[in-house]
Amino acid sequence: GAVVSQHPSRVICKSGTSVKIECRSLDFQATTMFWYRQFPKQSLMLMATSNEGSKATYEQGVEKDKFLINHASLTLSTLTVTSAHPEDSSFYICSARGDRGRGGYTFGSGTRLTVV
Amino acid sequence: GEDVEQSLFLSVREGDSSVINCTYTDSSSTYLYWYKQEPGAGLQLLTYIFSNMDMKQDQRLTVLLNKKDKHLSLRIADTQTGDSAIYFCAEISNTDKLIFGTGTRLQVFP
């Protein structure tokens, strides 16, 4: 079945530094990938929709200069958290869309970001 | 706008059935999904239902859809301790995005 690999699973960084999170579709091509953020004990909040070869579409309230998304190929999308602050600490999850008829939104395993 | 609601907690005894409920607002959703999230992990697709179906059964899982009331439920038969997790329902919005419910934390006790 469809597999999405997300790395790293955990990262700790210092305030002011940048962190890159990768999301790869391993056995299918994903023209669209989604990035979510999840606070403890809360639901997933869609941050942006990433389309291969074009600029990402950000949800209202999400700073595009802070959360840089690149979708350079059909199998890779990256999220870079720039100039990270402790309030950016969260669980970030990517998702790639395959065939909806087969329940085709496949999720990565998530990245726990802690900014100290 | 889209809004997907779920009850926050459900506690059941091992071996009993669990029923997790969800209400949604976008009547144009073609697919509705149930996902499971274990602590510190991503989301695992459990099952989905097409909007023209009333029911779908997949082993211990039964999904019921009442499109008129915009109500979706997930029944887990013979609930096991390994079923303890957070369960999210989700619908596809008219802008083709997955909108998640608030999540239901299922706790199974012996």
Side-chain angles (χ1 to χ4, degrees), chain B residues 36-49:
Chain B
K36 177 182 180 182
Q37 185 181 33
E38 298 188 17
L43 271 71
Q44 172 196 352
L45 177 67
L46 285 178
T47 187
Y48 64 95
I49 189 167

Side-chain angles (χ1 to χ4, degrees), chain A residues 69-80:
Chain A
I69 291 172
N70 183 280
H71 194 155
S73 77
L74 285 170
T75 58
L76 174 65
S77 176
T78 61
L79 167 67
T80 302

